[in-house]
Amino acid sequence: MLDVRQVSAGYDGLQILWEVAIHVDAGEIVALMGPNGSGKSTLMNSVSGLIRIWSGEILFEGRRIDALPPHAMIGMGVAHVLERHRLFPDMTVLENLMLGCGPHARKQSIAQGLEQAYALFPLLKERRTQIAGSLSGGEQQMCAIARGLMSSPRLLLIDEPFIGLSPHMRSAVAKAIRAINRDGVSVLLIEQNVAEALSLSQRAYILREGRIVLGGRSEDLKVGQTVERIFMAREDVPSGLDIVSS
């Protein structure tokens, strides 16, 4: 579904990504992990068109998308839930949700999107007239994810869905992501917590200093301390361990 091929990118002449290659298959949850500053958000922003890549290619369902503007992604079937919610705080929950539909949404698609959002997060229906900035952090995260779903995406990008949440809210958001995936939406998510990321995903990649240093099935990566050593201690990949992308 998503194929990132040897992508290099950065900001204002400072290179952040170095020939990064990952893929997300239809029906998958794929986790993107790595220390702070490793390039995770830069990679996700490259996929959604928020920044232009310097070299390489990004394809979605076989079509190259790296030259498209961000607003075109909605029509392509890609939605991006940014880090720390990024809601419009002075607008209501309902108004924030409706913005996720895009500028040319029909009434029927808006109604269907709201029905899905409220089924996934019943609390949002109760709070639909409430100012979004007055919600708790967990409730704002629910609203941000639901807003991303309003355009009926086939691929949902989620940047740090659990940051700052209580254990109860983390569990609720993780349950929602699994439900979204069961409904046929592929998910690429960024998560710092190794155990949580691997338990939620089918496959995972580790970025370090702008390069993919390890990737594979989440079940395989749970075995031993390899991921923790690479992620936390910033050690080199142990000899004999392949860097893989599938």
Side-chain angles (χ1 to χ4, degrees), residues 63-78:
R63 178 180 172 183
R64 191 166 176 181
I65 62 171
D66 50 81
L68 296 178
H71 67 266
M73 296 300 173
I74 292 178
M76 291 290 297
V78 179

Side-chain angles (χ1 to χ4, degrees), residues 27-64:
E28 278 193 311
I29 299 177
V30 175
L32 189 61
M33 302 182 292
N36 287 331
S38 59
K40 303 183 300 297
S41 293
T42 300
L43 177 55
M44 193 166 279
N45 291 343
S46 298
V47 172
S48 67
L50 289 176
I51 66 169
R52 290 292 181 91
I53 65 174
W54 295 0
S55 62
E57 295 180 333
I58 302 176
L59 290 85
F60 179 68
E61 296 181 332
R63 178 180 172 183
R64 191 166 176 181

Side-chain angles (χ1 to χ4, degrees), residues 37 136 238:
S136 71

Side-chain angles (χ1 to χ4, degrees), residues 97-140:
L97 291 176
M98 291 182 68
L99 285 172
C101 294
H104 305 297
R106 297 181 178 181
K107 289 184 178 180
Q108 182 179 1
S109 63
I110 294 173
Q112 290 174 344
L114 289 174
E115 182 179 358
Q116 181 185 17
Y118 294 153
L120 191 64
F121 300 112
L123 181 68
L124 296 181
K125 186 172 184 178
E126 299 174 15
R127 307 286 178 87
R128 61 188 181 276
T129 60
Q130 186 171 328
I131 297 301
S134 67
L135 299 175
S136 71
E139 292 165 350
Q140 289 190 40

Side-chain angles (χ1 to χ4, degrees), residues 221-237:
L221 296 177
K222 289 179 184 178
V223 179
Q225 302 296 315
T226 301
V227 172
E228 286 80 359
R229 290 202 306 270
I230 297 171
F231 184 92
M232 300 299 294
R234 301 174 66 87
E235 294 179 4
D236 292 334
V237 179

